[in-house]
Amino acid sequence: MNDLKDFHDTSIAFGYKTDYELKRAYFLFKLLTYPLLAYIGKHVLSFLIYIRFPIDFIIKKTIFEQFCGGVNEKDCYKVMNKLNQNNIKCVLDYSVEGSDTENDFENTLKRTLNLIDLIRKEDLTSFIVFKPSAVGRFDLYFKKAENLPLKEIEIAEWKRVEDRFDKICAKAEKNSISVLIDAEESWIQEPIDNLIEKLMIKYNKKSCIVYNTIQAYRSDRLEYLKHMHIRLADFNVKIGIKLVRGAYMEKERERAKTNNYKSPICETKFITDENFNNCMNYMFDNLHDFHLFIGSHNEKSNILATKIMSRNQLRNNDNRVWYSQLFGMSDHISFNLALNGFNVAKYLPFGPLRDVIPYLIRRLDENTSVSGQTSRELDLISNEIKRRALKD
Ligand SMILES: Cc1cc2nc3c(=O)[nH]c(=O)nc-3n(C[C@H](O)[C@H](O)[C@H](O)COP(=O)(O)OP(=O)(O)OC[C@H]3O[C@@H](n4cnc5c(N)ncnc54)[C@H](O)[C@@H]3O)c2cc1C
């Protein structure tokens, strides 16, 4: 047990970055401090991609290398090895979005199953992740969520979606790999929650294979968590939960306003933070049943989790608790946690350059709009650059 006070030792945080990589990160985050420039840049980028303007090299050398591990799994090995040397695992994330056809869904399935073989062989990580919308049609989830009658052809389609979830979890179980299932828009989540609960009952008896995601910005999630806990109590299973705040706030609010229903999102950031802490506390209080994967760049949330672990006399490397940040962001949190013996896994997105653009644009958005985050990242990088210059 070990109390972490803060994450500000930049020599630990950026030890694995070369001077060039550090300066590139500085340049990028500096640009993001100018919201207007970032806004224009984002739209110009989308336009240039749309007209197939040859800017791949520039994207690759800037945002792509900052936020992605490579274009394919093998490309990611270099980053994975570097992180592994610092006791940080990776969650390889094939971040291609916009799947819409059965062909796309089957490809994602095939790719995810191959990925399990690959990471098992290389022994570099113990998690994989997928998005429900990458293995099933968004409108089908929506129909299920709304209890709308399915046509015969859609009943068969839903069965294929269930099969894809099952095949991934079955293979993961066989290879002792855990599966994180991302959460997306609230209006498709209910059938996904139900499906994942069934998979937990099937695969989480001996160890925690299947993890659902709780978005704490949804005001109903603590209740959901408690009810799920009661529902699963009789099955003697481990409940895997990835806890995040949630990434679709503006979209959720807009839809609620347009369709005139109460927004499912907490009214303020403060309430989201409270909800996040309450969900986290609930799971730590019931750790005999839960496995917790904390996905956050919030320093306070991460420190709080380490404090609760210390108070509850848990070992830092208790295998029921994992911490995670996205690659290219909040290295100071990941590296300091890992150095203190906590379990850390970085989400490592990869995919063909043009196909991961939506993911990259979301990162630009997040780093521009989340108050404090960019300037914090920038201060840390700049301190490290100064520290290295003084040392030389
Ligand atoms: C490893 C990992 C996995 C992730 N997986 C998912 C996933 O499956 N699904 C998903 O949706 N997101 C996912 N995210 C993204 C995550 O939900 C957040 O968008 C992001 O991490 C920012 O939250 P934070 O806790 O890091 O930081 P913070 O900066 O403390 O929080 C920012 C977040 O607070 C909330 N918020 C901000 N302003 C308000 C407001 N006015 N009112 C109410 N709430 C507000 C929003 O959720 C916002 O994203 C993941 C993040 C990580 C690191």
Side-chain angles (χ1 to χ4, degrees), residues 182-183 215 242 245-247 253 268-269 272 296-298 324:
D182 278 352
Q215 295 158 312
K242 166 159 65 96
R245 281 185 169 75
R253 285 190 167 146
T268 62
K269 170 77 162 66
T272 294
S296 176
H297 301 126
N298 183 305
S324 185

Side-chain angles (χ1 to χ4, degrees), residues 129 131 181-184 213 215-217 242-249 253 265-273 276 293-299 301 323-326 329-330 345-347 363 366 370-371 373:
V129 60
K131 273 193 167 31
I181 304 173
D182 278 352
E184 300 173 81
T213 299
Q215 295 158 312
Y217 68 8
K242 166 159 65 96
L243 178 64
V244 300
R245 281 185 169 75
Y248 306 89
M249 184 175 76
R253 285 190 167 146
I265 306 301
C266 297
E267 273 174 24
T268 62
K269 170 77 162 66
F270 179 78
I271 302 176
T272 294
D273 291 346
F276 187 95
F293 188 99
I294 303 163
S296 176
H297 301 126
N298 183 305
E299 290 180 5
S301 299
Y323 293 81
S324 185
Q325 290 77 41
L326 306 181
M329 289 171 68
S330 300
K346 282 282 230 207
Y347 256 45
R363 295 292 74 79
E366 190 170 299
V370 177
S371 64
Q373 182 134 297

Side-chain angles (χ1 to χ4, degrees), residues 131-134 182-186 188-189 192 215 217 248 252:
K131 273 193 167 31
S133 62
D182 278 352
E184 300 173 81
E185 289 83 349
S186 64
I188 61 161
Q189 191 60 35
I192 297 166
Q215 295 158 312
Y217 68 8
Y248 306 89
E252 291 278 356

Side-chain angles (χ1 to χ4, degrees), residues 310-321:
S310 166
R311 193 181 66 216
N312 292 2
Q313 302 196 315
L314 298 170
R315 278 181 297 111
N316 289 1
N317 67 348
D318 188 305
N319 73 354
R320 291 168 296 183
V321 185

